[in-house]
Amino acid sequence: MEISGDLKLGLQRIRLVVFDVDGVLTDGQLFYSDEGETLKAFHVRDGVALKLLPDMGVDVAIVSAKDSSMLACRMAELGVHHYYPGTKDKRKSVEALARNLSLAPEEVAFVGDDMVDLHAMAWCGVGLAPLDAYEYVRDRADVVVPVNGGHGVARYVADLILQAQGKFEQAYKTASLPHFERDR
């Protein structure tokens, strides 16, 4: 993938990537039983991205309007330290996290797919959306990732950032080592 111009400069500055969940890390479908939400499917490639970015010096955060035990379990398994479930104001959460990490807006990227994500995307230096994001959101994203939600969006985003920062080859050498799969 070829990255040039302003986008490359923007991606080179990124020190934190914030991901929405439903419609980004999942395909957006919600499965319910009589007991409530019962299933979410996550793509394994996104798990690699959520581990790889911090290993390469780029923090990750998850900000989701929903809260579920499945999501909490997956984030713990991947060692995601910045996890904000049940968030009603994503921009406020992203701003607070950036402030705590001493990051400027241009050092933060946000990946979202629907209207509730727009204010956070607009605040961040780079806004990204999956291919199947709501059209209004896609039109306002800096990058439309050519992957549908739940099918490796985070991996594609990680690859873009790592390429722009000149860390791509080093990242995948690291990912191929046995210790990469360690407990986080």
Side-chain angles (χ1 to χ4, degrees), residues 73-121:
C73 180
R74 182 66 173 148
M75 294 306 106
E77 178 181 89
L78 296 172
V80 173
H81 301 292
H82 307 296
Y83 170 52
Y84 303 92
T87 301
K88 301 306 176 210
D89 186 339
K90 293 181 182 185
R91 179 176 173 156
K92 186 176 179 179
S93 294
V94 171
E95 285 182 35
L97 176 58
R99 207 171 25 257
N100 289 341
L101 297 174
S102 300
L103 297 175
E106 57 272 7
E107 295 175 293
V108 182
F110 189 94
V111 188
D113 72 306
D114 214 338
M115 301 299 287
V116 69
D117 302 317
L118 280 176
H119 292 296
M121 284 176 70

Side-chain angles (χ1 to χ4, degrees), residues 35-178:
E35 290 79 38
E37 190 175 23
T38 59
L39 293 174
K40 283 191 185 290
F42 298 96
H43 202 291
V44 69
R45 277 181 270 182
D46 287 338
V48 170
L50 296 178
K51 292 188 291 186
L52 196 55
L53 282 167
D55 283 1
M56 294 294 109
V58 179
D59 273 332
V60 297
I62 302 299
V63 178
S64 178
K66 295 182 98 27
D67 187 3
S68 75
S69 59
M70 290 158 286
L71 179 56
C73 180
R74 182 66 173 148
M75 294 306 106
E77 178 181 89
L78 296 172
V80 173
H81 301 292
H82 307 296
Y83 170 52
Y84 303 92
T87 301
K88 301 306 176 210
D89 186 339
K90 293 181 182 185
R91 179 176 173 156
K92 186 176 179 179
S93 294
V94 171
E95 285 182 35
L97 176 58
R99 207 171 25 257
N100 289 341
L101 297 174
S102 300
L103 297 175
E106 57 272 7
E107 295 175 293
V108 182
F110 189 94
V111 188
D113 72 306
D114 214 338
M115 301 299 287
V116 69
D117 302 317
L118 280 176
H119 292 296
M121 284 176 70
W123 183 83
C124 294
V126 179
L128 302 101
L131 184 61
D132 62 346
Y134 185 62
E135 182 178 4
Y136 192 81
V137 175
R138 281 194 323 261
D139 290 346
R140 281 148 186 80
D142 298 305
V143 179
V144 175
V145 176
V147 179
N148 286 338
H151 295 276
V153 170
R155 181 66 167 273
Y156 193 93
V157 169
D159 287 355
L160 277 176
I161 292 168
L162 294 170
Q163 243 188 350
Q165 294 182 359
K167 300 176 183 176
F168 187 82
E169 295 300 325
Q170 176 190 355
Y172 284 100
K173 285 179 185 172
T174 299
S176 67
L177 298 174

